[in-house]
Amino acid sequence: MLSHMTGIADDKNILKKNTGAKKIASLEEEVNGFAARISVLNAGTDFWYGNIGLNIAGRVLEVIKQEKI
């Protein structure tokens, strides 16, 4: 996930799409949206620069932290 090789492509023109778009309430909501996307490639086979992998990794850390509480 941290190497931008999740297999999930970022949306093209994401900045344009986010202008006026619905705000995401939480990292959980955003990552659940990623989970609903179709992977374009198998993880680890192609590089797609973006925040998807970083945000998924961040959400994993949130879940782990919640489990320890």
Side-chain angles (χ1 to χ4, degrees), residues 39-53:
S39 294
V40 293
L41 294 167
N42 291 328
T45 60
D46 201 11
F47 180 88
W48 294 84
Y49 184 77
N51 290 330
I52 287 177

Side-chain angles (χ1 to χ4, degrees), residues 20-65:
K22 176 188 157 234
K23 298 292 181 191
I24 297 169
S26 67
L27 189 55
E28 178 180 12
E29 181 182 335
E30 183 178 27
V31 171
N32 286 344
F34 297 155
R37 292 185 187 184
I38 296 171
S39 294
V40 293
L41 294 167
N42 291 328
T45 60
D46 201 11
F47 180 88
W48 294 84
Y49 184 77
N51 290 330
I52 287 177
L54 301 174
N55 291 351
I56 293 170
R59 178 64 187 142
V60 168
L61 294 173
E62 281 184 348
V63 170
I64 291 169
K65 182 179 177 183

